[in-house]
Amino acid sequence: MCTVCGCSEGEVRVEPGSGHDHKPQHAHHHEHHHQHSRSHSHEHSHDHHYGLGPARAHAPGLEQSRMVQIEQDILGKNDQYARANRARLTGQGIFALNLVSSPGSGKTTLLTSTLTALREQIPLAVIEGDQQTSQDADRIRATGVNAIQVNTGKGCHLDAHMVGHALDSLTPERGSILFIENVGNLVCPAAFDLGEAHKVAILSITEGEDKPIKYPDMFAAADLLLLNKIDLLPHLNFDVARCIEYARQVNPALQVIQVSATSGEGMEQWYQWLRLNRQNRLIGHATDVSAEARRA
Amino acid sequence: MHEMSLCESVLQIVEEEATRQRFSRVKWLQLEIGVLAGVEVEAMRFCFDVVARNSLLQEAELDIVQPGGEAWCMQCAQTVAIAARYTPCPHCGSYQLQVTGGDQMRIKELEVE
């Protein structure tokens, strides 16, 4: 991260919208520390460019060996941004979910089905995280829901700082449900709080029932597990009960809903979960609810 | 590979500290990475070497201590040692455990000049 503005380093891009461009404002010099080459495209003024690397801080002073106690959390900065995001989202009655899964779990299909089913009833918005391309955001926008793509470049997860900037550009409506689709990865996103209300893990039954104990951190961090592609059960050798048992070994409080985005099975339960938890968030936001009632 | 991001955060924190506490080089750095933190220590070492290059951490010796996992067992009403998140209480076999230690990722101490 850049020590001047706190921006994350790397090839992160948030598209489109906000004219937030950090690069020219930096008086200090950024250097590369990685073996891989990084190409930064600067043609598009609407892209977010994060510093190319940590600033070189030179501290003149005594050249005398000494011990320094630091005692700081390595993710302290991320957690600080996450707290700011959470305060902002809570303040606006926005119910934010961080969707995490392996690549290929059917996360985007599940999300597009959800958006299509709920868009007439509830204001919705999506932050779409991928390493490259805006294909998923394009799929989301095809449903008519406002979406912003964040490309993490070489990064394997979204962090709270990227989400903060994405929120600046996306400006979700008060009282909306914000879906943050994380990079497909069952390991790294577990450690990074984005300021969401809940992490929702999506696991498809084509993946193997022991995933919850193979990747325990993610299932420990999640509050809800969507067991997806349940329509394929007759064709697979997947033990649903065993999978749920494993998941609850890691996280006894984990809620589980079995769904199929393709056949629609179980989806109503998931929508019900969304409606109930969003309503819960809206307590104290009476004006938003009445505005919605007027619209309906 | 979030170890790369973690190492970059370490460098950032150390650089901020360098300005505040007036040092220009780190000779030794101790990190505390709990066994339940989801961090691969070998990957961490590899990434540290890459990130440290041309920085005040360049020649720093990296020491990683790995505190063991600890959890509060609801059944036994006591703190128990666990090796992983999916293991039961070693005393009663219950999975009603609340992790209370071993998931930390902290910078502890530096030797600087």
Side-chain angles (χ1 to χ4, degrees):
Chain A
M1 284 195 189
C2 161
T3 55
V4 173
C5 66
C7 271
S8 169
E9 67 83 45
E11 298 180 325
V12 178
R13 279 202 309 267
V14 177
E15 61 84 64
S18 140
H20 179 106
D21 186 351
H22 288 270
K23 189 82 172 106
Q25 288 150 24
H26 291 185
H28 61 267
H29 178 60
H30 286 289
E31 283 179 33
H32 293 263
H33 301 285
H34 293 244
Q35 289 165 311
H36 53 250
S37 69
R38 288 185 173 147
S39 56
H40 294 260
S41 115
H42 289 268
E43 310 82 85
H44 307 290
S45 59
H46 56 258
D47 283 354
H48 285 186
H49 293 285
Y50 293 79
L52 308 189
R56 302 272 60 79
H58 294 287
L62 300 169
E63 297 294 313
Q64 193 177 4
S65 186
R66 63 194 157 104
M67 300 303 287
V68 178
Q69 297 276 342
I70 288 199
E71 292 283 350
Q72 281 199 47
D73 280 332
I74 296 176
L75 289 178
K77 205 117 216 173
N78 182 74
D79 294 345
Q80 219 173 306
Y81 285 120
R83 275 194 296 277
N85 290 348
R86 185 165 287 121
R88 174 176 177 176
L89 292 165
T90 309
Q92 298 178 6
I94 296 168
F95 179 52
L97 297 172
N98 180 357
L99 307 182
V100 291
S101 80
S102 335
S105 65
K107 201 161 26 134
T108 309
T109 305
L110 190 123
L111 186 53
T112 50
S113 304
T114 305
L115 298 172
T116 308
L118 298 183
R119 56 181 289 249
E120 302 294 331
Q121 307 155 29
I122 301 172
L124 303 169
V126 177
I127 295 174
E128 185 63 51
D130 279 301
Q131 287 200 321
Q132 297 295 346
T133 84
S134 62
Q135 295 203 8
D136 278 3
D138 296 342
R139 276 175 73 185
I140 301 295
R141 288 189 196 113
T143 66
V145 170
N146 202 7
I148 188 164
Q149 180 81 43
V150 178
N151 287 135
T152 58
K154 301 279 191 297
C156 50
H157 56 269
L158 291 174
D159 65 37
H161 177 251
M162 299 172 194
V163 169
H165 280 313
L167 283 173
D168 292 341
S169 305
L170 187 65
T171 57
E173 207 175 311
R174 290 179 79 86
S176 57
I177 300 180
L178 171 67
F179 296 96
I180 306 170
E181 189 179 337
N182 218 315
V183 178
N185 178 343
L186 268 185
V187 184
C188 310
F192 292 82
D193 183 7
L194 305 179
E196 72 275 359
H198 302 284
K199 282 192 176 73
V200 176
I202 297 152
L203 176 64
S204 73
I205 65 165
T206 51
E207 293 177 61
E209 63 229 359
D210 52 358
K211 273 228 168 136
I213 53 171
K214 281 184 173 164
Y215 301 93
D217 298 316
M218 190 59 88
F219 294 89
D223 295 311
L224 174 67
L225 168 62
L226 295 177
L227 208 49
N228 194 22
K229 305 190 187 177
I230 205 76
D231 57 306
L232 297 178
L233 202 53
H235 313 287
L236 297 167
N237 192 14
F238 185 93
D239 188 336
V240 173
R242 171 65 65 84
C243 179
I244 296 173
E245 190 186 319
Y246 281 146
R248 294 223 168 104
Q249 282 179 14
V250 175
N251 181 353
L254 188 69
Q255 293 182 292
V256 184
I257 304 176
Q258 299 176 38
V259 297
S260 164
T262 316
S263 74
E265 195 177 338
M267 292 296 276
E268 195 45 52
Q269 270 192 70
W270 155 235
Y271 302 151
Q272 201 57 30
W273 187 93
L274 286 170
R275 287 190 200 100
L276 284 171
N277 283 279
R278 170 177 171 267
Q279 282 299 332
N280 226 357
R281 285 262 136 179
L282 282 176
I283 293 170
H285 294 268
T287 45
D288 297 309
V289 179
S290 53
E292 197 171 298
R294 277 200 301 277
R295 187 161 58 180
Chain B
M1 279 295 279
H2 61 306
E3 286 80 3
M4 192 61 92
S5 314
L6 296 177
C7 286
E8 282 169 348
S9 297
V10 168
L11 176 59
Q12 186 193 16
I13 292 168
V14 171
E15 284 182 333
E16 285 173 3
E17 215 58 35
T19 313
R20 198 173 304 141
Q21 306 211 32
R22 296 174 150 268
F23 58 85
S24 57
R25 202 164 78 85
V26 178
K27 293 168 75 177
W28 176 83
L29 169 76
Q30 188 178 58
L31 302 180
E32 191 178 73
I33 307 281
V35 298
L36 305 181
V39 173
E40 196 54 57
V41 167
E42 279 319 303
M44 193 77 187
R45 288 186 187 284
F46 173 79
C47 296
F48 183 84
D49 287 345
V50 176
V51 170
R53 211 161 286 164
N54 299 319
S55 80
L56 76 179
L57 288 176
Q58 174 137 359
E59 283 152 35
E61 181 191 337
L62 176 64
D63 179 23
I64 301 180
V65 289
Q66 291 195 274
E70 271 182 7
W72 177 258
C73 174
M74 316 255 182
Q75 305 294 321
C76 303
Q78 63 169 329
T79 299
V80 297
I82 53 167
R85 284 195 192 265
Y86 51 84
T87 53
C89 168
H91 304 300
C92 71
S94 164
Y95 286 99
Q96 298 287 331
L97 301 173
Q98 187 76 44
V99 172
T100 53
D103 57 348
Q104 67 270 58
M105 295 184 252
R106 295 177 70 77
I107 306 178
K108 293 290 285 181
E109 212 178 2
L110 309 175
E111 187 184 353
V112 302
E113 58 179 25

